[in-house]
Amino acid sequence: VLRDGISNQDDFTYSTRNYNTDYIAGNVNPSQQTAIKGVMNTGHLGIIHGPPGTGKTTTLVTLIKTLLNNEKRILVCAPSNNAVDLLASKLDAAGVKVSRVGNVTRISDDLAHVTVVEKLRNHDDWQHIKKVKIEATKARKIAGNFKRKFGFKEREDRNAMYKEARDLQKWAKDLENKLVESILHDSQVVATTLIGTQQRMISDMQFETVIIDEASQALEAECWVAILKAKRVIMAGDHMQLPPTIKSSKAIEMGLEETILNRMTACIKDSYTLGIQYRMNEKILSFPNKKFYGGKLLSHISNSTHLIQERDEPLIWIDTSGCGFEEQTSTEHRSKWNEGEYFILREHFIQQIEKYEGFSIGIIAPYAQQVRYIKSQVSEDESIRVHDVTINSIDGFQGQEKDVIYISLVRSNESGELGFLKDLRRLNVAITRAKKKLIIIGDVATLSSDQTFLELLEHVEKYGLYQSAWEYMAI
């Protein structure tokens, strides 16, 4: 049903459940409550659209806790280990019995106690299994000590010891498998990556519900690996942010860049958007809200006017047009950087340095070479390095937030070429990382070749502060 329904873009109005939604296990706002109640009774496919800062993770934790009143176990997945770890840690903190399945080297150290491997080692029966394994190793070692030239009896003894080693090893493995099965069946949530659902220890498990977080970044193929393990799927994410990375141009031509979330959000009955954001100052939110979310997002009173300092300006564009800050291309990495934009960024940073004390700061850029360049400069700059500064690409910053965000847009050329900056979802991610202050540094003459960047500039001129980079070059 799911396969045909997703393929045909059905609205799934014909499939419902009858769970009691009078009790919601958590303190949530009205739009979160509506989403939780709606997807709880979806028959096959439900979607929670969580724009930036709207409390998607909080909503999912509350949904899962409420669902557990009706279901014994829930499968929770995401395309990346980081995303799985975030949700698993929140569930663990909320008192949900979570078992994290996957390669322990790729799981956060803070979650070691909920991994199946660690639960296995801490179980009372583990010492017995360990002893059996030791006995098997001893038997194998004794058998291996027989010399090459020996008689019939010695050969029989050696074969007997090898058989004993094999039997002991099999016994230990059987005991271990039964213990793993017991641990998983005692869990309320099994958490793993989408591909991790094929791990042997859960390969035979089936669930009523699978929840896929960050579904906007999940390839359709890997989603199906998880979907096949449950009777229904609930997806959460934001299709207005960056899609999964696909390097094959042929795969893109075949449509594999489009996610299930993107395809189904607008057409299914049980699709709900979280409408109250708790992250951004209203002036920072207003442009992406209008451009990407149809003006449907509301700012919570706790953050709608918050600033790093009273009367501070939360939205700034520093225009580098006419300054001679041309973009450069790295022949080694085939990526672009702009030294002049970092020069302006630093000058602005130094002017604000006392205001920034105690606040988190992010410096982001669309190009990896610009990120490398800024990191190298900051590493040698004590005045900036002593602050809480994180430097990363826009893609790498998705899912994060900082009090102050600097965006270096890099592109500056006579032809108005923007490259992948034309992907407006990347711009959406960049803007919506900032909580209290956003500083955009870019060449308006180049960027205004794109209508959306032109609209953003006009928005800043009307509601924020537009400055020329020349104001910082005379310092």
Side-chain angles (χ1 to χ4, degrees):
V1 174
L2 264 171
R3 181 195 63 200
D4 293 340
I6 290 173
S7 177
N8 298 326
Q9 291 187 281
D10 289 350
D11 58 12
F12 287 100
T13 54
Y14 49 81
S15 61
T16 58
R17 294 197 176 206
N18 193 30
Y19 286 168
N20 185 349
T21 58
D22 292 338
Y23 170 73
I24 301 297
N27 183 22
V28 291
N29 66 44
S31 71
Q32 292 170 332
Q33 188 174 93
T34 298
I36 290 168
K37 288 183 175 182
V39 298
M40 274 187 67
N41 280 317
T42 186
H44 289 98
L45 174 63
I47 289 176
I48 296 177
H49 179 202
T54 53
K56 173 172 64 69
T57 302
T58 298
T59 304
L60 288 179
V61 169
T62 305
L63 168 64
I64 290 165
K65 289 178 68 178
T66 307
L67 275 176
L68 286 169
N69 292 322
N70 300 278
E71 299 177 13
K72 187 176 181 181
R73 266 182 310 280
I74 298 169
L75 178 61
V76 172
C77 304
S80 70
N81 280 293
N82 286 341
V84 176
D85 286 349
L86 174 62
L87 192 49
S89 66
K90 296 292 185 182
L91 288 165
D92 180 50
V96 177
K97 294 167 70 175
V98 182
S99 284
R100 177 69 166 92
V101 174
N103 187 331
V104 292
T105 62
R106 297 182 180 180
I107 298 174
S108 169
D109 292 341
D110 295 335
L111 280 175
H113 64 288
V114 300
T115 61
V116 174
V117 171
E118 194 66 20
K119 287 183 177 183
L120 193 63
R121 290 172 179 169
N122 292 330
H123 199 279
D124 292 340
D125 293 342
W126 176 247
Q127 290 304 318
H128 174 60
I129 296 172
K130 192 175 177 181
K131 287 179 181 178
V132 175
K133 286 186 174 183
I134 291 172
E135 290 300 318
T137 302
K138 284 182 179 177
R140 189 176 296 105
K141 186 176 180 180
I142 291 171
N145 285 337
F146 280 93
K147 296 179 181 180
R148 289 188 178 183
K149 294 181 179 180
F150 45 74
F152 176 77
K153 184 178 184 308
E154 286 82 4
R155 181 177 286 105
E156 279 195 331
D157 290 345
R158 186 187 71 163
N159 290 340
M161 292 306 295
Y162 273 133
K163 183 179 184 304
E164 182 179 345
R166 288 193 299 271
D167 291 344
L168 287 169
Q169 191 65 41
K170 183 179 181 302
W171 184 28
K173 192 63 180 176
D174 289 343
L175 290 172
E176 186 175 329
N177 288 339
K178 288 179 181 178
L179 186 52
V180 168
E181 184 179 344
S182 172
I183 290 169
L184 289 171
H185 280 271
D186 191 45
S187 303
Q188 293 175 301
V189 166
V190 176
T192 186
T193 60
L194 293 165
I195 298 302
T197 57
Q198 289 299 291
Q199 292 249 350
R200 182 178 297 177
M201 67 175 65
I202 60 172
S203 60
D204 294 330
M205 294 183 72
Q206 288 292 313
F207 302 81
E208 284 292 319
T209 302
V210 56
I211 294 175
I212 301 178
D213 192 14
E214 300 296 352
S216 56
Q217 294 185 288
L219 294 168
E220 180 169 349
E222 62 181 346
C223 284
W224 279 108
V225 176
I227 291 171
L228 291 173
K229 297 193 70 62
K231 295 179 181 178
R232 67 167 178 173
V233 58
I234 296 171
M235 293 185 162
D238 181 10
H239 57 288
M240 298 310 298
Q241 296 190 59
L242 289 167
T245 300
I246 298 180
K247 296 182 179 180
S248 167
S249 57
K250 186 174 181 180
I252 294 174
E253 289 174 10
M254 293 172 65
L256 295 181
E257 187 178 36
E258 184 182 33
T259 63
I260 295 176
L261 185 78
N262 186 38
R263 189 189 314 153
M264 302 300 294
T265 294
C267 63
I268 68 167
K269 173 178 69 75
D270 293 318
S271 178
Y272 304 89
T273 299
L274 306 181
I276 301 176
Q277 70 89 19
Y278 299 86
R279 176 183 297 169
M280 291 161 273
N281 179 290
E282 180 62 31
K283 286 188 176 182
I284 298 171
L285 168 71
S286 54
F287 180 78
N289 188 19
K290 179 181 178 182
K291 186 69 181 178
F292 304 108
Y293 302 107
K296 295 178 181 179
L297 301 184
L298 300 174
S299 296
H300 191 263
I301 190 172
S302 64
N303 57 275
S304 61
T305 59
H306 65 184
L307 301 164
I308 64 168
Q309 193 177 78
E310 190 177 352
R311 297 181 182 178
D312 187 53
E313 179 53 64
L315 180 61
I316 300 171
W317 186 313
I318 304 175
D319 179 13
T320 61
S321 298
C323 295
F325 296 154
E326 291 280 316
E327 65 188 55
Q328 300 177 68
T329 303
S330 166
T331 53
E332 180 183 357
H333 300 288
R334 298 175 66 186
S335 182
K336 298 184 184 300
W337 87 101
N338 192 314
E339 295 180 14
E341 285 193 2
Y342 176 69
F343 170 80
I344 298 301
L345 187 156
R346 184 184 183 280
E347 292 299 323
H348 183 275
F349 193 109
I350 296 301
Q351 283 192 23
Q352 306 288 313
I353 205 159
E354 292 184 4
K355 293 182 183 179
Y356 290 166
E357 191 67 39
F359 291 99
S360 60
I361 302 162
I363 301 175
I364 59 179
Y367 290 93
Q369 186 61 24
Q370 182 74 343
V371 172
R372 282 188 284 267
Y373 175 73
I374 294 174
K375 282 183 175 181
S376 69
Q377 295 298 304
V378 170
S379 67
E380 299 175 0
D381 193 334
E382 183 70 21
S383 58
I384 296 180
R385 195 173 67 242
V386 295
H387 290 267
D388 178 13
V389 179
T390 302
I391 306 163
N392 208 338
S393 65
I394 295 173
D395 298 47
F397 230 90
Q398 182 157 305
Q400 300 183 54
E401 62 183 26
K402 297 292 179 183
D403 294 315
V404 180
I405 287 287
Y406 282 90
I407 306 173
S408 171
L409 292 171
V410 179
R411 299 311 296 258
S412 178
N413 54 71
E414 294 181 357
S415 58
E417 287 293 326
L418 300 187
F420 60 52
L421 277 184
K422 289 182 179 179
D423 187 336
L424 302 184
R425 293 170 295 187
R426 186 165 279 106
L427 176 63
N428 184 28
V429 170
I431 294 173
T432 56
R433 301 309 95 198
K435 296 168 66 176
K436 300 178 179 180
K437 191 178 184 73
L438 174 66
I439 307 98
I440 302 168
I441 301 169
D443 183 343
V444 167
T446 298
L447 296 164
S448 59
S449 64
D450 181 88
Q451 182 61 30
T452 299
F453 278 99
L454 184 59
E455 291 172 7
L456 175 58
L457 174 64
E458 291 171 350
H459 178 85
V460 173
E461 289 178 323
K462 185 174 181 180
Y463 299 104
L465 176 64
Y466 168 84
Q467 294 180 305
S468 170
W470 287 104
E471 297 177 39
Y472 296 91
M473 294 175 70
I475 297 173

